[in-house]
Amino acid sequence: MISFIKKSYVVIILIIMYAPIALLMLFSFNNSKLPIWKGFTLSWYAKMFNDASIQQAFMYTIIIAIISSFAATVIGTFAAMGINRMVSWQKNIAMNITYIPLLSPDIIIGISLMMLFSVIKLPFGLPTLIVSHITFSTPYVILSVMPKLKQMDYNLYEAALDLGATPWYAFKKVIFPEIMPGVIAGAFIAFTLSIDDFVVSFFNKGAGVDTLSIKIYSMARKGVNPTINAISTIMFSTIIIILLVMNIKVNKKLSKSQTK
Amino acid sequence: MHRKSLAYPYLIWAAIFIVVPLLLIVYFSFFKDGSFTIQNYQKFLEDYYIKALIRSIELAFISTVICLVMAYPLAMILSDKHMTNKQIILLLVVLPMWMNSLLRTYAWGSLLENNGVINSMLKAVQLAPITFLYGNGAVIFGMVYNFFPFMVLPIYNVLCKIDPSLIEASYDLGADKVTTFRKVILPLSMPGVVTGIVMVFMPALTTFLITRLLGGGKINLIGNIIEEQFTRTNNFGFGSAVSMILMIIVLITLAFMSKKDSLDKGGGLF
Amino acid sequence: MENKDIQKNYIIDLKNISKTFDDTEVLKDISMYIKRNEFLTLLGPSGCGKTTLLRIVGGFEEPSRGEVYFEGENIINLPPYKRRINTVFQKYALFPHMNVEDNIAFGLHIKKIDKKLIKKKVSEMLELVNLKGFEKRSVDSLSGGQQQRIAIARALINEPEVLLLDEPLGALDLKLRKGMQLELKKIQQKVGITFIYVTHDQEEALTMSDTIAVMNEGRVQQIGSPVDIYNEPKNAFVANFIGESNILEGKMIRDCLVVFHNTHFECVDGGFDEQESIDVVVRPEDIQIVSQEEGMLKGTVESVTFKGVHYEMLVNTGEFLWTIHSTAMSYIGQVVGLIITPADIHIMKRR
């Protein structure tokens, strides 16, 4: 009896969580603008693929995600290695700065960067989007690499130097393989955050440069539009496929980057 | 290569793009055309803005409580080691954290709309449509829906980490299941509860997206006010002042929560 | 009526306990009595089922078959919190969110006992475990040994009839462990209740116990006093597990005469069939090294290791490699004689 109640509770919560997503996906194949089933169609997908502005938004989203997650991974990995070697007061300062973007509301990150870009007169567009995405995702990379560095035996690196390796060679052959899982997880988190971001991009986009999230937002405000369902279906599926293909134990990674 | 100088590029980046922008908020909130003013803060004292602030706190608070009440039992069920298919269920619960919250909010909106899925179904069976959207209820619903996983995960993590022998020790010393929950499990899970509260309350307090999509522009929370200043009226000064107030609330909440957390670890309260 | 007297003397009666975890049988039909006020040790290598048996008595595990009687009453369906048994857990399981006082008082708080009385009892308990004045300390600030004492105090304050201890000294270093062994024994005598103690350390078991139950592969191999178990091991496993032993195959000729190592020896055991195959156990310290002419057996010293109090020597007599402990040192290569007196020859039934 108790186990039945428990199971039903879990099932009900999962239904509430997934029903809207499932229905959204379902109606992306519906042959009607209204949410009443009128038969199967791919016309919304066709519409989506023929819409130049959606294509452009899609391209921008991917470009921004790739560039920003790559940059964040490089900057963040080196940063974690550097911070790890700092004495404790320096480390404290560096980590506190790192926590700011994690703990600040998105909207604050968005508007503060927006003010900075207007003050330094950086034109809003692709560069501002990339810079802002790097800024909010680098801390996640650092927090994902940091535990791996702490686990690593520093003697390994010294042993490599002792055996005649150059620092760069030692990094490549000793440190990097050890922290690799953290780096990959960090890159993955950065990429997903970039694709999913709406708030920060919303404040830092430029005229004619939209990401998919922003495109959807402006379409959604004009009312129901099954094309959005089609885009959403593709975005949801992409995320799920990435998760499955990379076979990442989501819960583990998430516990490391619990915020957000 | 393995030296602290490796962190310099990041530190420079962080100084320019994290620290300076925050200082800009402080600056713009106090200075207008280069001279000091508290005008922006005075403006916030107007009834309309104070009401928006109170409503923001109210809605965020209610959403947090609902999330907590719903998430705690779920986390407990999932942390039971006899649970079947636990990994899959856990994955399903946290998966939405990776999904675009705009899309998920939109999904609910299209479900609840006046011409949405539910009302279409009601119409099909000759029932009167229900207005779900554009009220406080819809906004709270959206917040709970969006941030629920952020409450489940930290509580689940903490519950899993509780040493089972502590629970056995409690039974051993004469505590029944209810007493053991009250005196051992609940206090030991407080760090997770606190993290969960912070992770739900903060984004709920600062959202402008959920109100925009599910509140239909009728409900203005503090997030919406900030958004307006920056995207429509271009009043950076007032927007910064509101942001400052928002950050102060965030900091107070964080300080309060971390203090309470340490109190519970010391065992003063339970 | 005699039966009743026995029952009075026994506090716990385990009947045909079996336990299966995922197809592996960890306990196989265990039946035993535990006497009131005794210090009983369940001794055995890891995986022998001793901890599982303890957890069944404590109520944390249900046996697949069998019953547990507590003062003549079947308690198999009683949850742990209703049993008059308390436990000291392996890693102490002190509540990290409570200070020392609240940890110790946990059981009394639940019984809603008067606060003043609780305070008094807590300080009495702290005195018993030699930690007077530690009430307000936080649990993390204590050393392993201190945590251990708090765990004991927390259990004893509830005045249980039986205290279960699951390898409580396992996490302590050697010196501390020795001290705690004596102290635990003292505490047991002071409070006068039954202790059931689980350990894999034979020395610990011999030092502290009134009774030892040696377990292996889910079965009780032998129950008896430390002296009995040491001197009269019932089978090769017990002989090997309790101290080092020389174990040889042999044959009983008749009562008090045995043949092994192709030699006849007098012994003190009887009750075997004539010509019955048996195992012979000789403790390393029971073998005397003499000159080769005087010895019952002759052999060559193969190695000598200094062990602190004694030397450990391996002597090869052709048929067998003997382990011998002696305070007198012999030299490698030396040819020596060995003498084994009848009382030191222990005969065991072959399994």
Side-chain angles (χ1 to χ4, degrees):
Chain A
M1 184 60 195
I2 285 177
S3 116
F4 175 75
I5 294 173
K6 283 181 181 176
K7 268 185 198 137
S8 335
Y9 187 69
V10 173
V11 169
I12 289 170
I13 284 191
L14 287 179
I15 288 176
I16 297 175
M17 285 176 89
Y18 283 92
I21 297 172
L23 286 171
L24 191 82
M25 290 182 167
L26 179 69
F27 286 117
S28 72
F29 299 105
N30 184 19
N31 197 2
S32 160
K33 222 173 153 93
L34 291 172
I36 302 160
W37 189 252
K38 289 271 158 76
F40 182 85
T41 178
L42 284 174
S43 65
W44 303 115
Y45 287 87
K47 214 170 171 186
M48 174 183 86
F49 283 117
N50 290 328
D51 185 326
S53 68
I54 292 176
Q55 275 176 19
Q56 208 185 25
F58 179 77
M59 282 307 292
Y60 280 130
T61 303
I62 295 293
I63 290 170
I64 293 167
I66 289 174
I67 297 178
S68 74
S69 62
F70 178 77
T73 306
V74 173
I75 297 174
T77 303
F78 285 118
M81 281 164 36
I83 292 172
N84 196 40
R85 299 245 48 85
M86 286 179 177
V87 292
S88 76
W89 67 269
Q90 294 168 322
K91 201 185 245 177
N92 277 340
I93 293 177
M95 286 318 282
N96 280 331
I97 294 174
T98 305
Y99 275 115
I100 293 175
L102 292 174
L103 293 174
S104 326
D106 288 350
I107 190 169
I108 301 285
I109 303 175
I111 58 120
S112 65
L113 281 168
M114 179 187 180
M115 285 198 285
L116 176 78
F117 296 142
S118 19
V119 167
I120 61 174
K121 305 238 155 34
L122 193 65
F124 284 94
L126 209 51
T128 54
L129 281 169
I130 290 172
V131 167
S132 55
H133 282 217
I134 294 172
T135 305
F136 70 67
S137 47
T138 308
Y140 289 91
V141 177
I142 294 178
L143 289 185
S144 153
V145 175
M146 211 59 157
K148 294 279 165 227
L149 281 168
K150 283 202 180 117
Q151 280 164 26
M152 199 189 76
D153 185 359
Y154 187 61
N155 284 337
L156 287 178
Y157 175 72
E158 286 174 340
L161 294 186
D162 183 68
L163 295 167
T166 59
W168 172 243
Y169 188 82
F171 169 75
K172 233 172 36 186
K173 292 284 173 184
V174 178
I175 297 174
F176 199 63
E178 289 277 318
I179 62 173
M180 197 58 183
V183 175
I184 291 177
F188 171 71
I189 293 170
F191 189 81
T192 332
L193 287 177
S194 171
I195 288 188
D196 279 354
D197 177 69
F198 166 72
V199 176
V200 176
S201 311
F202 178 72
F203 289 105
N204 293 294
K205 61 165 182 134
V209 184
D210 283 342
T211 64
L212 272 180
S213 293
I214 293 166
K215 184 76 197 157
I216 291 166
Y217 179 71
S218 54
M219 285 164 79
R221 292 184 54 178
K222 284 177 202 144
V224 193
N225 184 347
T227 317
I228 303 177
N229 297 14
I231 305 173
S232 308
T233 304
I234 288 188
M235 283 180 81
F236 283 143
S237 313
T238 314
I239 295 288
I240 293 170
I241 288 167
I242 291 177
L243 276 168
L244 293 180
V245 167
M246 303 221 10
N247 196 16
I248 281 190
K249 291 202 171 152
V250 188
N251 46 333
K252 271 193 186 164
K253 303 297 177 241
L254 279 174
S255 58
K256 268 178 218 149
S257 59
Q258 269 185 7
T259 21
K260 190 108 193 171
Chain B
M1 278 310 277
H2 205 53
R3 273 173 307 171
K4 60 185 178 189
S5 56
L6 288 173
Y8 291 167
Y10 166 69
L11 291 178
I12 293 165
W13 184 282
I16 300 174
F17 296 110
I18 297 175
V19 179
V20 171
L22 289 179
L23 296 176
L24 279 178
I25 295 181
V26 182
Y27 177 83
F28 275 109
S29 75
F30 282 114
F31 287 87
K32 197 171 188 184
D33 306 325
S35 56
F36 183 82
T37 172
I38 55 164
Q39 206 186 324
N40 290 323
Y41 290 91
Q42 278 168 336
K43 187 177 177 191
F44 189 77
L45 293 177
E46 282 170 26
D47 216 28
Y48 175 77
Y49 299 114
I50 293 290
K51 269 194 184 141
L53 176 66
I54 291 172
R55 196 185 300 121
S56 302
I57 295 175
E58 223 170 62
L59 295 187
F61 180 78
I62 296 170
S63 312
T64 309
V65 171
I66 296 174
C67 277
L68 180 60
V69 169
M70 282 172 62
Y72 205 105
L74 184 68
M76 288 225 14
I77 295 170
L78 290 178
S79 69
D80 181 352
K81 56 178 184 285
H82 302 298
M83 179 84 196
T84 45
N85 297 330
K86 178 170 132 171
Q87 286 307 317
I88 296 168
I89 296 169
L90 189 67
L91 187 87
L92 285 174
V93 172
V94 298
L95 192 62
M97 291 168 85
W98 291 105
M99 294 178 169
N100 197 308
S101 88
L102 166 73
L103 289 183
R104 293 192 299 125
T105 311
Y106 169 77
W108 263 114
S110 67
L111 211 67
L112 299 177
E113 253 191 331
N114 290 343
N115 293 320
V117 177
I118 293 178
N119 277 327
S120 302
M121 283 196 273
L122 288 176
K123 231 184 259 171
V125 289
Q126 310 287 326
L127 283 172
I130 303 171
T131 313
F132 294 102
L133 279 191
Y134 312 138
N136 285 345
V139 172
I140 291 172
F141 193 92
M143 289 174 175
V144 171
Y145 177 66
N146 258 298
F147 308 127
F148 181 70
F150 297 93
M151 185 67 92
V152 179
L153 196 66
I155 298 178
Y156 167 80
N157 280 336
V158 171
L159 285 177
C160 282
K161 269 186 225 140
I162 294 180
D163 180 356
S165 70
L166 290 178
I167 292 158
E168 287 183 350
S170 170
Y171 291 151
D172 185 75
L173 296 166
D176 56 22
K177 290 199 165 176
V178 177
T179 315
T180 300
F181 176 76
R182 205 164 46 84
K183 288 200 148 205
V184 179
I185 299 174
L186 189 61
L188 284 176
S189 66
M190 275 324 271
V193 171
V194 167
T195 310
I197 289 175
V198 169
M199 282 167 62
V200 172
F201 186 76
M202 298 291 174
L205 181 71
T206 58
T207 185
F208 69 92
L209 179 67
I210 295 170
T211 25
R212 190 65 82 226
L213 289 181
L214 299 180
K218 282 187 197 159
I219 297 171
N220 268 327
L221 298 187
I222 194 155
N224 301 88
I225 289 168
I226 296 175
E227 183 234 355
E228 268 171 24
Q229 307 315 314
F230 286 93
T231 56
R232 281 178 228 172
T233 55
N234 261 333
N235 189 346
F236 281 18
F238 183 55
S240 296
V242 181
S243 302
M244 283 289 285
I245 290 163
L246 190 61
M247 280 198 292
I248 288 166
I249 297 173
V250 166
L251 284 176
I252 291 172
T253 317
L254 281 177
F256 174 73
M257 282 304 177
S258 60
K259 198 172 164 197
K260 182 152 169 8
D261 186 6
S262 59
L263 246 179
D264 284 329
K265 268 186 200 142
L269 284 180
F270 285 85
Chain C
M1 342 138 290
E2 201 197 313
N3 213 349
K4 261 220 162 124
D5 274 351
I6 291 172
Q7 267 186 11
K8 255 192 188 165
N9 203 9
Y10 291 141
I11 187 158
I12 289 176
D13 180 358
L14 303 175
K15 281 206 170 126
N16 311 99
I17 302 277
S18 297
K19 176 75 186 173
T20 312
F21 284 122
D22 312 323
D23 302 333
T24 33
E25 211 177 6
V26 282
L27 293 176
K28 296 167 190 163
D29 195 33
I30 287 186
S31 295
M32 65 193 274
Y33 300 107
I34 295 158
K35 277 189 229 139
R36 210 173 273 285
N37 302 348
E38 79 172 334
F39 195 121
L40 174 105
T41 299
L42 300 175
L43 174 66
S46 57
C48 73
K50 55 191 192 299
T51 296
T52 309
L53 188 61
L54 193 80
R55 288 170 60 79
I56 286 174
V57 175
F60 305 115
E61 214 77 75
E62 252 181 70
S64 313
R65 277 187 307 282
E67 267 112 56
V68 179
Y69 288 91
F70 183 85
E71 298 191 318
E73 207 180 307
N74 191 349
I75 55 167
I76 212 73
N77 292 318
L78 220 54
Y81 47 88
K82 288 192 179 151
R83 298 188 184 196
R84 270 145 57 220
I85 297 173
N86 284 115
T87 309
V88 175
F89 289 85
Q90 202 158 30
K91 283 179 191 121
Y92 323 135
L94 297 180
F95 302 120
H97 58 297
M98 298 179 187
N99 63 15
V100 167
E101 183 176 18
D102 291 338
N103 259 288
I104 298 179
F106 190 88
L108 299 185
H109 277 310
I110 285 162
K111 288 183 201 140
K112 305 252 187 310
I113 288 173
D114 176 58
K115 290 241 159 78
K116 268 190 194 145
L117 188 65
I118 292 182
K119 257 209 152 76
K120 194 171 142 256
K121 284 198 154 191
V122 168
S123 86
E124 276 171 22
M125 275 300 145
L126 280 172
E127 202 167 338
L128 179 74
V129 297
N130 279 327
L131 288 176
K132 231 174 143 180
F134 272 62
E135 277 93 343
K136 299 295 171 203
R137 293 278 289 271
S138 85
V139 169
D140 323 321
S141 72
L142 304 180
S143 71
Q146 290 168 332
Q147 290 192 20
Q148 154 93 92
R149 289 153 197 258
I150 301 300
I152 293 167
R154 184 178 71 174
L156 287 177
I157 201 167
N158 303 293
E159 297 171 3
E161 299 284 330
V162 176
L163 186 69
L164 309 178
L165 302 102
D166 186 4
E167 305 225 14
L169 306 184
L172 304 183
D173 64 58
L174 187 67
K175 214 170 165 189
L176 209 54
R177 202 152 68 210
K178 296 265 181 208
M180 274 308 288
Q181 285 174 12
L182 298 176
E183 205 169 322
L184 265 178
K185 183 74 194 166
K186 240 192 259 166
I187 290 173
Q188 190 250 341
Q189 282 159 351
K190 215 171 184 174
V191 295
I193 60 166
T194 312
F195 274 36
I196 305 179
Y197 191 95
V198 160
T199 184
H200 62 267
D201 181 338
Q202 43 109 0
E203 215 183 299
E204 204 166 282
L206 293 173
T207 319
M208 302 165 73
S209 321
D210 300 319
T211 308
I212 296 177
V214 183
M215 291 182 64
N216 190 37
E217 291 177 345
R219 284 203 172 84
V220 173
Q221 305 290 328
Q222 184 172 4
I223 300 187
S225 72
V227 176
D228 284 349
I229 288 200
Y230 189 83
N231 286 336
E232 298 291 337
K234 246 188 189 162
N235 58 38
F237 173 81
V238 176
N240 245 331
F241 195 76
I242 309 279
E244 277 178 87
S245 293
N246 298 290
I247 301 174
L248 299 87
E249 292 176 6
K251 227 177 226 157
M252 250 359 231
I253 305 296
R254 53 180 155 77
D255 279 0
C256 299
L257 189 65
V258 61
V259 61
F260 61 89
H261 200 281
N262 297 329
T263 317
H264 285 69
F265 286 87
E266 279 179 44
C267 64
V268 293
D269 293 301
F272 295 90
D273 294 336
E274 282 184 17
Q275 298 299 319
E276 182 178 341
S277 292
I278 43 84
D279 282 326
V280 174
V281 173
V282 184
R283 295 290 180 189
E285 65 274 19
D286 290 340
I287 302 170
Q288 292 169 51
I289 296 183
V290 292
S291 66
Q292 48 175 309
E293 299 79 26
E294 290 170 277
M296 301 157 93
L297 300 168
K298 201 163 78 174
T300 315
V301 178
E302 286 202 341
S303 83
V304 180
T305 318
F306 182 56
K307 289 279 183 175
V309 182
H310 61 262
Y311 293 92
E312 181 176 290
M313 285 161 286
L314 298 179
V315 176
N316 194 341
T317 54
E319 292 278 313
F320 191 75
L321 188 64
W322 298 86
T323 305
I324 301 171
H325 292 170
S326 166
T327 49
M329 186 183 156
S330 302
Y331 299 94
I332 294 177
Q334 194 179 352
V335 180
V336 295
L338 305 179
I339 287 181
I340 307 165
T341 57
D344 293 327
I345 294 172
H346 309 296
I347 313 290
M348 304 178 305
K349 274 209 185 293
R350 184 76 64 77
R351 277 207 290 178

